[in-house]
Amino acid sequence: MDIRSLRYFVEVVQLNGFSRAAEHLFVTQPAISRSIKKLEQELGYTLLVREFDGVRLTDEGEILFSHAKQILMQFHSMNKALKERAGPLSGVLNVGLPPVIASTYFADIIMVFSQRYPQIELKIIELGSRKMMEAMLKGEVETAAVMLPFENEQFDLHVFSSDRLMLLVSEQHPLALHSSVKFAEVVDEPFIFFSDDFRINELVTSACGIYGKKPTVVGRSGHLDLVTAMVRAGVGITLLPDSMWNKTRADGLSIIPVVEPVLSYELALATLKNIPQSRRAKAWHDLAIEML
């Protein structure tokens, strides 16, 4: 078994066909077929079944596919680490940040990092928690900030802050002058949610579940400006992190602490366990810890 055979096998599965994998890898289809046949002989199991519309993994093939992806990711990471061992830091660093908190916590870090390492192209990828986990496991994001819980034993987590959700309403809303609000008072209100996969949505939905209800969602957006504009217009209410509101105060809106329950959460830096970090990622991680 070698890296090339595993790469061929993974490509066939991901592209659902030998011919498509051959085109993508710029090799002949017989070469891929021979390689996978050799894998099956070495392991003593049938791994793939050819079907009319592609291929199907056997149970043993599923096991190999899961491990092969991890092996290839580690091999790629090892090669990157060896190549980057010497010389100035350069290249592209993919950093994952939750859209709702990116500017709140990381604007200054991005500025300092860019000044300190001008040869690194910093690519910020904004994703919700589930998609962030998938992107990191695929190697599309090397280091990230995430909202907890981020339940996966394959990650190292470094908690750097805690936050809570605050109620945001228009100044004309009946609750606008309250000093605090119990969640039971807003459970029947129309909500403006962020886009799908945002952990904030899950916190609000769970809080509604305490009262045996589901939130009534009347609008969604991944952009804070649009969310606050809908709230200001009286379309609905929303809940925002306290730290975000402190940096994005706007006229026509009122922010109120939510109690009973307090909707709080923790934020953490996340990296994959047992995968050597590139020098770029380590530089970012160390600076983030220093500044946070």
Side-chain angles (χ1 to χ4, degrees):
M1 185 186 304
D2 56 32
I3 290 294
R4 180 181 297 175
S5 297
L6 292 178
R7 184 177 292 116
Y8 287 178
F9 173 71
V10 168
E11 288 290 334
V12 169
V13 175
Q14 290 180 333
L15 296 176
N16 194 32
F18 284 76
S19 59
R20 286 186 284 271
E23 278 183 38
H24 187 254
L25 293 168
F26 301 102
V27 296
T28 64
Q29 185 173 331
I32 291 182
S33 297
R34 286 195 299 271
S35 180
I36 292 178
K37 186 66 176 176
K38 183 180 177 183
L39 262 181
E40 291 179 325
Q41 290 172 345
E42 288 179 4
L43 295 172
Y45 296 105
T46 299
L47 303 172
L48 293 170
V49 177
R50 294 178 189 253
E51 296 188 332
F52 176 74
D53 57 348
V55 296
R56 174 174 54 84
L57 284 169
T58 63
D59 290 345
E60 293 78 13
E62 289 276 7
I63 293 171
L64 178 61
F65 181 59
S66 174
H67 286 275
K69 287 189 294 182
Q70 293 296 316
I71 292 169
L72 290 173
M73 188 165 61
Q74 289 180 332
F75 183 76
H76 177 66
S77 179
M78 178 194 70
N79 274 336
K80 277 204 307 183
L82 290 172
K83 290 176 182 177
E84 295 171 350
R85 184 65 181 169
L89 294 180
S90 60
V92 179
L93 175 62
N94 292 341
V95 175
L97 298 177
V100 178
I101 68 166
S103 60
T104 306
Y105 290 94
F106 289 90
D108 292 341
I109 295 172
I110 291 170
M111 181 183 69
V112 173
F113 186 85
S114 297
Q115 292 171 346
R116 193 174 293 183
Y117 306 105
Q119 295 185 56
I120 295 178
E121 178 187 341
L122 191 60
K123 186 175 180 181
I124 304 300
I125 299 174
E126 295 184 293
L127 295 171
S129 296
R130 281 189 294 274
K131 290 181 180 177
M132 188 75 76
M133 186 179 295
E134 292 170 7
M136 294 187 74
L137 290 171
K138 290 178 181 177
E140 296 168 356
V141 169
E142 192 168 357
T143 181
V146 297
M147 293 177 67
L148 301 183
F150 196 69
E151 296 176 0
N152 196 302
E153 295 181 354
Q154 298 182 67
F155 294 93
D156 281 319
L157 300 172
H158 182 98
V159 176
F160 64 82
S161 184
S162 60
D163 212 337
R164 62 180 291 184
L165 296 185
M166 306 282 280
L167 175 66
L168 188 68
V169 298
S170 72
E171 287 184 346
Q172 286 72 44
H173 195 281
L175 295 173
L177 297 179
H178 286 218
S179 59
S180 65
V181 174
K182 296 179 181 179
F183 194 85
E185 297 178 72
V186 301
V187 71
D188 291 319
E189 291 276 342
F191 285 91
I192 310 296
F193 265 20
F194 287 92
S195 299
D196 291 339
D197 192 42
F198 279 41
R199 183 57 56 81
I200 286 176
N201 297 345
E202 296 178 16
L203 288 174
V204 176
T205 300
S206 296
C208 288
I210 294 173
Y211 302 95
K213 298 186 177 183
K214 293 182 178 180
T216 301
V217 181
V218 294
R220 286 181 185 269
S221 177
H223 300 282
L224 177 61
D225 289 346
L226 292 177
V227 171
T228 55
M230 283 189 277
V231 173
R232 188 184 294 108
V235 176
I237 66 171
T238 195
L239 288 102
L240 289 178
D242 188 23
S243 59
M244 174 186 292
W245 175 250
N246 289 332
K247 291 195 175 185
T248 57
R249 293 183 181 274
D251 294 334
L253 297 167
S254 181
I255 193 82
I256 310 158
V258 178
V259 297
E260 296 184 25
V262 173
L263 303 181
S264 61
Y265 57 89
E266 291 183 312
L267 299 165
L269 300 172
T271 54
L272 273 167
K273 288 181 179 178
N274 305 318
I275 301 292
Q277 281 187 292
S278 68
R279 290 168 64 210
R280 291 186 297 268
K282 189 174 186 309
W284 168 269
H285 191 78
D286 290 347
L287 178 63
I289 290 175
E290 174 190 329
M291 294 185 65
L292 290 169

